[in-house]
Amino acid sequence: MRIRESIYLVGVVDSEIRNFHGYEVPIGTTYNSYLVIDDEVTLVDGVQADFATEQIDNIKKIIGDRPIDNFIINHVEPDHSGSIPLIAATYPNLKAFGTNNALREIEAYYPGTKLNFEVVRAGDKLETSDHTFEFIPAPMVHWPDSMSTYVPEKKVLFSNDIFGQHIGDGSRFDHELDRDKLLERAASYYANIVLPFGMQVLRVFSALEDLDIEVALPSHGVILEDALPDFIESYKRWANGEVNEAKASIVYDTMWGTTAKLALMIRDEYKERGLDVELLNLGTIHYSDAMARLLESKYIAVGSPTLNNQMLPSVAAFLTYFKGLKPKNRVARAFGSFGWSGESIKYVRAVLEDELKLEMEDDLSVKWNVDSEQA
Ligand code: FEO
């Protein structure tokens, strides 16, 4: 598919995937890859291994038997690198470009793959007859190897994971989607993939500041034209750790309904304080969905009953995930019900207070049932 003069989309749609390394993706995703054609053929990014043949077919539909000259590898996570061995075997004379970390990871992931690889650094460029490819390392957005590539002649940024959205419904451009829905997918992606790397995002943004970018071509989801300013504004806000002071999320699961009653009590308390509250029941939604929905909440309450001296597994899974994503600038609270021992509240608080160092409000716990005489 032609995107701009001399730029083509040769990636693939993975409409079936629903679990992306633990992140639930309800409408699938894409692994985007692009061809830039002038006197040379330059391929930007690979795709997931199961789709390697499809990517090669897509490339051949555009260039026929013409060889690929240059292969820019912006990121080595397998969703973007799985087709590297087949690309290298199909086009043995191409020259690959990526960061030093990318080279190390490719050697480790794909031993025996022969690539003529040039390590690039910030400020390095690849010049073809009509295009300049400026390499912008973006370490930890998302992996140590990550980078973006800017082409000034087209005002295009191949942003890779930055600005990604897991959308595999066949949409290809931002204008095909309702803007709120698109931003919702972007927020979900940020909350589940990018959240721990706010400082690194800001560092990349300072490198992008002087660039004239009209179009972002991310490695997942739709191409960003009209929506790009909204994405940039949202990323700056999220990366700066800005949250909505008037929003609260209550994440919980329940055994026999008592922890759910406590969740309602906390909801009423939050409402009395003028907060906009959302209940997120892990018995009905996936922890990654909860993560997406609480991205901008200043107040977060997490509740679990005690089961066999532990938290409920659903809450423990959420907290493991939440902890890894390192949310900051929140006011948290632990709550839960129990029958005799009551460890769950202590374990919930330990993650929120001791590990994440969040400001805490008082615990809320109850024995057996709300209003129980034995409580
Ligand atoms: Fe889409 Fe970090 O890979």
Side-chain angles (χ1 to χ4, degrees):
M1 176 191 284
R2 184 175 173 278
I3 298 167
R4 278 272 194 284
E5 187 198 345
S6 66
I7 302 180
Y8 298 83
L9 182 61
V10 289
V12 300
V13 181
D14 187 352
S15 56
E16 300 294 317
I17 189 171
R18 291 293 178 270
N19 186 320
F20 190 94
H21 60 52
Y23 167 17
E24 195 172 84
V25 290
I27 54 172
T29 193
T30 62
Y31 312 114
N32 295 342
S33 165
Y34 305 93
L35 273 184
V36 183
I37 301 174
D38 49 29
D39 289 353
E40 298 177 45
V41 175
T42 301
L43 174 66
V44 181
D45 292 332
V47 302
Q48 203 262 5
D50 295 341
F51 298 88
T53 304
E54 186 177 335
Q55 184 190 20
I56 298 287
D57 289 345
N58 290 343
I59 291 168
K60 286 187 182 292
K61 277 179 201 155
I62 307 294
I63 60 172
D65 292 331
R66 196 176 162 185
I68 291 173
D69 301 285
N70 310 301
F71 181 18
I72 294 171
I73 300 172
N74 283 316
H75 186 20
V76 185
E77 189 164 9
D79 50 333
H80 309 295
S81 69
S83 61
I84 285 177
L86 186 61
I87 292 167
T90 309
Y91 301 102
N93 297 319
L94 61 70
K95 187 165 183 185
F97 300 83
T99 62
N100 194 34
N101 282 321
L103 175 59
R104 285 210 296 268
E105 291 169 24
I106 290 167
E107 287 171 344
Y109 260 120
Y110 308 108
T113 297
K114 292 194 180 353
L115 273 180
N116 175 13
F117 195 100
E118 181 174 324
V119 169
V120 297
R121 295 171 186 80
D124 287 350
K125 296 174 183 173
L126 162 67
E127 293 189 6
T128 60
S129 62
D130 300 339
H131 301 93
T132 310
F133 297 85
E134 299 179 6
F135 302 116
I136 304 163
M140 299 317 295
V141 195
H142 169 224
W143 275 16
D145 55 270
S146 295
M147 69 175 190
S148 296
T149 300
Y150 177 63
V151 177
E153 293 84 357
K154 295 290 190 296
K155 299 182 179 178
V156 158
L157 180 72
F158 295 96
S159 60
N160 199 262
D161 275 354
I162 299 170
F163 303 140
Q165 339 93 44
H166 285 310
I167 295 172
D169 67 354
S171 308
R172 287 312 207 170
F173 291 89
D174 51 9
H175 61 76
E176 295 170 45
L177 293 159
D178 173 80
R179 183 64 54 86
D180 287 343
K181 286 279 172 212
L182 174 58
L183 290 172
E184 192 180 292
R185 295 312 305 154
S188 171
Y189 186 94
Y190 191 95
N192 283 283
I193 303 277
V194 190
L195 186 60
F197 309 117
M199 200 192 309
Q200 292 88 343
V201 168
L202 294 176
R203 209 171 286 145
V204 179
F205 271 45
S206 74
L208 300 178
E209 211 157 57
D210 296 332
L211 304 182
D212 185 4
I213 303 169
E214 278 183 1
V215 186
L217 305 179
S219 56
H220 297 288
V222 298
I223 289 157
L224 302 173
E225 297 176 320
D226 296 347
L228 184 57
D230 285 345
F231 272 64
I232 292 171
E233 188 274 325
S234 297
Y235 262 63
K236 283 184 179 169
R237 198 156 34 82
W238 295 327
N240 275 306
E242 290 178 28
V243 290
N244 184 341
E245 301 279 337
K247 192 173 170 205
S249 297
I250 302 171
V251 186
Y252 69 101
D253 201 350
T254 193
M255 282 176 69
W256 299 110
T258 307
T259 299
K261 289 180 190 170
L262 295 179
L264 294 178
M265 288 167 63
I266 292 175
R267 178 196 61 182
D268 293 345
E269 263 188 59
Y270 280 151
K271 280 189 171 176
E272 279 169 22
R273 288 155 56 180
L275 303 176
D276 180 23
V277 191
E278 186 172 26
L279 289 165
L280 302 169
N281 179 351
L282 295 168
T284 57
I285 66 168
H286 193 260
Y287 57 72
S288 60
D289 194 16
M291 196 63 226
R293 296 210 216 170
L294 63 73
L295 174 64
E296 300 203 357
S297 293
K298 175 72 175 180
Y299 297 89
I300 297 170
V302 180
S304 174
T306 296
L307 172 71
N308 299 328
N309 310 107
Q310 303 294 326
M311 296 180 270
L312 272 188
S314 55
V315 181
F318 166 77
L319 284 172
T320 298
Y321 195 71
F322 186 69
K323 180 171 66 176
L325 291 165
K326 300 183 178 64
K328 294 183 178 66
N329 301 335
R330 321 291 171 131
V331 178
R333 185 169 192 185
F335 70 98
S337 61
F338 61 98
W340 48 101
S341 55
E343 289 87 349
S344 62
I345 301 101
K346 176 178 71 178
Y347 292 147
V348 170
R349 184 171 6 92
V351 174
L352 300 173
E353 184 173 32
D354 301 341
E355 299 195 55
L356 284 169
K357 313 288 183 206
L358 298 179
E359 182 183 339
M360 297 296 292
E361 294 185 308
D362 290 344
D363 294 353
L364 179 64
S365 65
V366 67
K367 191 171 181 181
W368 297 119
N369 201 353
V370 174
D371 297 328
S372 165
E373 287 186 2
Q374 294 183 57

